[in-house]
Each structure stands twice: as structure tokens, then as C-alpha cells.
Amino acid sequence: MTAHRLTWLPDPPSATCSAGQILDWARRAVEPALRTAIDRLSEPTRRIAGYHLGWWDAHGHPGEEVTAGKALRPALTLLCAHAVGASTERAVPVAAAVELVHNFSLLHDDIIDGDRLRRQRPTAWSVFGAPAAILAGDALLALAVRMLAAHPGMARLGITLVELVNGQSADIAFTEREEVGLAECVAMAGGKTAALLGCACALGALAGGAEDTQVERWRRFGHHLGLSFQLVDDLLGIWGDPARTGKPVGSDLRAGKKSLPVVAALTAGNDAARRLARLYSRPTPLEEADVAVVTELIERAGGRAWAQREADRHRRIALTRMGQARPASGPATHLATLTALITRRDH
């Protein structure tokens, strides 16, 4: 087993740090803890986990073509900890646990959705097989639980995991239903995506010894940020550039997914909505030409405009919640920078 030295990095510069620099700082801060955790796994689970995390290729060899994740959730955890006066060192184990949970969910999501690409290279299950990838995901979750076993945030993480599973379960169930209400679709996104972002922020505040009221404000900041993030992600899934998203455009539409813009369009009650419903309810998968028509109908029915308005609204609420938590000025600046990055991506 390799022992990875934990090098505690200085806080990001207070005013001039870009979003990319903040994420890079967070990634470097948590990676030693992640590598130490992954080294506890036996082969081939260790190799699959490291492949998924972007550390090496399918044979376990580091390479220039390997792309790591953005480390958004660890960055939020670390910055929320800083915002209440905690050091990077104190918050790193919590941030690493959050990243392990996130990647556990990604490994399973790729299998559930049948996605063969992530970060512009083959997904773990498509390389190593679904059973091995499922076990690798389970292992990451077990490592996260081990990392937080004696932490006061463990109960909060447990609640979040239930919300995450419920949200993912609803997402799957919606593909089989002809009618899905917009409110229940928003609730699904709250569980599938926003719950973990809210938990990441709350755990960061807990690492700094924040009071319950302040921790809840940070959770709400992350929750609304997560809803905005999911809305933008759904927009990118329909109108985004595959070179930037790493996924083929229209893959969710071909799979019949009822994402937020789709449900907003289906429930709009206009002509385009009715035409969209007829196409989207067909038992056979959509052809390429159908995807183009469906994409246009979603926009004409108002789904795209609604999703963008809601993304902007939740972004504003998130920033309000952050202000109510009274963060230190430096971390507040960086949290605002990350908020702008993840809720205003090009689409």
C-alpha cells in the first residue's frame, strides 16, 4: 500500500483566483486523501476506481490523455469550511468523503443510463463490465462511510444518501410514465443532484464548528446551487456542445428521459407541448431526425426558456442564502466565482 503525503496547500488568493484555479486547488488538496483511501482496495477494484477518477488508463498507467473530474463538491466543502474559519487540513477528510460519494453515484449512473462516455473517454462499466463497475462504486461508498465514521456529519450524509437514491429512482421511473408533474420533477432533481451539493456545503460548515442555524444556511445555499446546476446540466444535455460536455447531444432525449426542460415543455399546455407528447410517448426509440424535431418542440413549448429562468432564480436564492450565512470575505468571493461558473455554462 502506498502512503500518500498530505500536503496542506495555502488558501486560494483572496481576490484574483479564477474558477479553474479554485477547482485545481481543491483537487490537489483532496487527492492525497483520496489516493490513500483507494489504495485500501484490492485489485481489480482499485484499478477500476482509479480509472474512473482519471488517475490512469485501463491498464493502470498514468497518461496525458487521462482527465480527472472537476472537484466541484470538494471545492464547495473546503470553501464553506474556510467561510466559518476552519483550516484546509481540518476539512480535507470531509471533502474527500463527499467526492467519493459523488463518484460512487457516477459509476452507478453510467450503468443505469447506459452511457459509454464520461469526460470524453469510455466509462468504467464499458471497459471493465457492469458487475465490476458496480462493485467499484460500492467500494467508494464504503470508503466514504469509513472516512466519516466518527464525524458528526455522518448522520447528515446518511440522510443525503437516501435522498440521492430516491431522486435517482424517480428519474428512472419517470421514463416509464407518460405523465410527470413539474413539481415532482423538481423534487427528483432536488434528491438526485441538489441534496449532495447541499450536504457538501453543510459538512464544510460542520468541519468549522458552525452552529446548527449556520450549517442549515450553508445547506440551503448548496441545495439551491444544486438545483441551478441541474437545470443548466439538463439544458446542456439538449443544446450543449459535445466537445465540452463529453456526451453526445440528444442522448437523454433518445433514452426518453424526462429532464426538467422536457417536463416543463410537456406540461405547457400549448400546441408544441401536445406534439411533443405524441412523439415522446412512442414505444420505439427516437431516430436522429426525431431528436431534432423534439429539440425544436421543447424550445417552442417554452421548456428551454423556463429552465433558464429557473436556473437564474435558484442561483440568486443560493447567493442570498450564502449572504445570510455571513461568510468571511475571501471564501465568499470564491464561492461566488464557482457559483457563476456552474450556473452560467455555455449552452
Side-chain angles (χ1 to χ4, degrees):
M1 182 182 295
T2 304
H4 298 282
R5 186 170 62 90
L6 301 183
T7 302
W8 307 121
L9 302 171
D11 292 351
S14 61
T16 59
C17 209
S18 69
Q21 289 170 322
I22 295 168
L23 294 173
D24 182 62
W25 160 78
R27 189 182 302 110
R28 287 184 290 126
V30 301
E31 188 169 310
L34 290 173
R35 286 184 180 269
T36 297
I38 297 301
D39 279 347
R40 295 192 175 100
L41 303 176
S42 60
E43 298 295 349
T45 305
R46 174 185 173 276
R47 180 158 48 93
I48 297 169
Y51 171 85
H52 170 76
L53 288 165
W55 297 341
W56 46 66
D57 63 19
H59 304 288
H61 303 140
E64 291 182 1
E65 77 283 357
V66 175
T67 303
K70 294 186 290 292
L72 169 63
R73 288 152 190 84
L76 290 172
T77 301
L78 294 174
L79 288 172
C80 288
H82 288 173
V84 300
S87 66
T88 302
E89 181 174 0
R90 188 170 179 181
V92 157
V94 181
V98 168
E99 184 69 349
L100 288 169
V101 169
H102 173 55
N103 282 281
F104 138 74
S105 72
L106 294 183
L107 279 162
H108 285 198
D109 286 355
D110 286 341
I111 297 167
I112 292 168
D113 296 340
D115 287 338
R116 292 186 169 271
L117 285 177
R118 179 171 291 280
R119 301 166 190 149
Q120 300 179 339
R121 67 175 186 153
T123 50
W125 77 268
S126 69
V127 175
F128 301 100
I134 290 170
L135 288 173
D138 293 344
L140 296 189
L141 178 58
L143 290 172
V145 170
R146 175 175 175 170
M147 199 170 280
L148 287 186
H151 192 275
M154 188 61 235
R156 183 177 293 272
L157 180 64
I159 293 169
T160 299
L161 285 168
V162 172
E163 291 179 306
L164 193 156
V165 171
N166 286 343
Q168 184 63 59
S169 177
D171 192 26
I172 296 167
F174 288 174
T175 62
E176 305 297 324
R177 288 171 46 186
E178 285 195 18
E179 294 186 8
V180 174
L182 191 51
E184 59 182 336
C185 192
V186 172
M188 175 273 292
K192 186 178 81 165
T193 302
L196 187 56
L197 266 75
C199 181
C201 296
L203 289 178
L206 273 173
E211 297 178 354
D212 289 348
T213 301
Q214 194 176 21
V215 170
E216 177 59 16
R217 285 170 178 159
W218 283 114
R219 186 199 68 79
R220 290 181 181 180
F221 160 73
H223 180 82
H224 287 285
L225 184 62
L227 286 174
S228 184
F229 177 91
Q230 186 60 59
L231 284 154
V232 172
D233 210 55
D234 286 349
L235 287 164
L236 288 170
I238 301 173
W239 292 281
D241 178 359
R244 299 185 61 142
T245 63
K247 293 176 67 174
V249 166
S251 59
D252 285 352
L253 297 180
R254 277 187 285 272
K257 280 218 161 189
K258 292 186 172 66
S259 64
L260 288 159
V262 171
V263 174
L266 286 169
T267 56
N270 52 35
D271 253 2
R274 287 185 283 274
R275 288 184 58 196
L276 175 65
R278 287 194 292 273
L279 266 176
Y280 222 60
S281 62
R282 290 193 329 198
T284 54
L286 296 175
E287 302 291 340
E288 199 63 40
D290 296 327
V291 170
V293 173
V294 163
T295 300
E296 181 184 354
L297 288 172
I298 293 169
E299 181 154 13
R300 286 174 56 189
R304 185 177 190 175
W306 176 87
Q308 186 59 67
R309 286 195 307 272
E310 284 296 290
D312 291 341
R313 185 174 73 86
H314 283 290
R315 175 183 55 82
R316 291 193 299 271
I317 295 172
L319 291 173
T320 297
R321 298 301 185 202
M322 182 178 74
Q324 291 170 343
R326 302 175 68 85
S329 61
T333 298
H334 294 306
L335 285 165
T337 299
L338 284 188
T339 296
L341 171 74
I342 67 176
T343 61
R344 295 197 171 196
R345 293 170 287 171
D346 294 336
H347 55 272

